[in-house]
């Protein structure tokens, strides 16, 4: 039987929807890079979409990771602490990205840099923690996401989409003993 939470919504269905959203946002932004948008000084709708879609992809990532860890049964104390680090890093980076690139406030670049480092370090550590137990496939999702994010401008978002698509298929309903 699937775990019922989130106001009566089936958490497995919610997880799969969030997994799809994470993958689609990263892939969309990544593929848009080939059109060479001017995200540092946006002037067109496409330029603004480059800024906003990247920030949205960052902002949705902690929800996806949290559901991934929870639905895969890997939600120990260390995982929860690392998820907080990822959330702080990604959400701060998302806001800093809009302020720096969208609004032209250069000082936000320092906030973005520190936030991105926190996010990356937390995700690397989360990958390590997820590798220590079973199932191990959630670690591959986090690692693939990291690789895709680091190669975002070269189509790496497609890897993120593939990884989160696999997660949507791999996650199974919990059974009660």
């Amino acid at each position: 039987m699937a775990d019922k939470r989130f106001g009566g919504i089936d958490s497995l269905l919610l997880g799969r929807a969030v997994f799809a959203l994470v993958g689609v946002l990263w892939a969309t932004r990544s593929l848009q890079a080939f059109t060479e948008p001017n995200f540092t000084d946006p002037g067109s709708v496409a330029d603004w979409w480059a800024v906003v879609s990247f920030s949205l992809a960052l902002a949705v990532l902690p929800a996806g990771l949290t559901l991934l860890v929870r639905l895969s049964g890997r939600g120990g104390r260390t995982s929860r602490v690392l998820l907080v680090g990822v959330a702080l890093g990604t959400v701060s980076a998302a806001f800093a990205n809009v302020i720096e690139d969208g609004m032209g406030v250069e000082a936000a670049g320092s906030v973005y840099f520190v936030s991105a480092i926190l996010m990356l370090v937390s995700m690397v550590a989360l990958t390590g923690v997820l590798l220590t137990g079973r199932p191990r496939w959630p670690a591959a999702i986090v690692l693939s996401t990291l690789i895709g994010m680091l190669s975002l401008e070269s189509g790496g978002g497609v890897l993120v989409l593939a990884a989160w698509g696999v997660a949507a298929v791999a996650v199974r309903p919990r059974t009660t003993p």
Side-chain angles (χ1 to χ4, degrees):
M1 168 181 250
D3 185 23
K4 300 281 189 180
R5 300 245 171 123
F6 308 109
I9 299 171
D10 183 5
S11 62
L12 184 62
L13 186 59
L14 175 65
R16 287 179 172 157
V18 171
F19 295 173
L21 182 60
V22 168
V24 167
L25 283 171
W26 282 102
T28 300
R29 174 56 187 94
S30 183
L31 293 174
Q32 187 191 19
F34 294 111
T35 67
E36 299 181 8
N38 186 3
F39 56 87
T40 58
D41 186 22
S44 70
V45 172
D47 297 342
W48 275 102
W49 176 245
V51 173
V52 172
S53 63
F54 181 62
S55 289
L56 285 173
L58 284 169
V60 171
L61 185 58
L65 290 171
T66 300
L67 287 167
L68 175 71
V69 168
R70 185 174 175 280
L71 291 172
S72 66
R74 301 301 311 278
R77 171 182 265 159
T78 305
S79 295
R80 287 191 300 270
V81 169
L82 291 171
L83 287 169
V84 169
V86 171
L88 287 171
T90 55
V91 172
S92 299
F95 280 113
N97 180 62
V98 170
I99 294 168
E100 179 190 20
D101 289 343
M103 298 176 186
V105 179
E106 279 188 44
S110 298
V111 174
Y112 176 83
F113 180 74
V114 170
S115 299
I117 295 298
L118 174 61
M119 170 191 64
L120 293 172
V121 168
S122 297
M123 286 179 71
V124 167
L126 181 61
T127 301
V129 167
L130 293 175
L131 278 173
T132 63
R134 298 221 184 260
R136 289 195 175 115
W137 65 263
I141 304 303
V142 179
L143 182 60
S144 297
T145 303
L146 272 167
I147 294 167
M149 290 167 59
L150 292 172
S151 60
L152 184 68
E153 298 294 317
S154 308
V158 175
L159 174 62
V160 178
L161 175 62
W164 287 92
V166 167
V169 172
V171 71
R172 296 281 180 238
R174 291 186 190 171
T175 55
T176 54

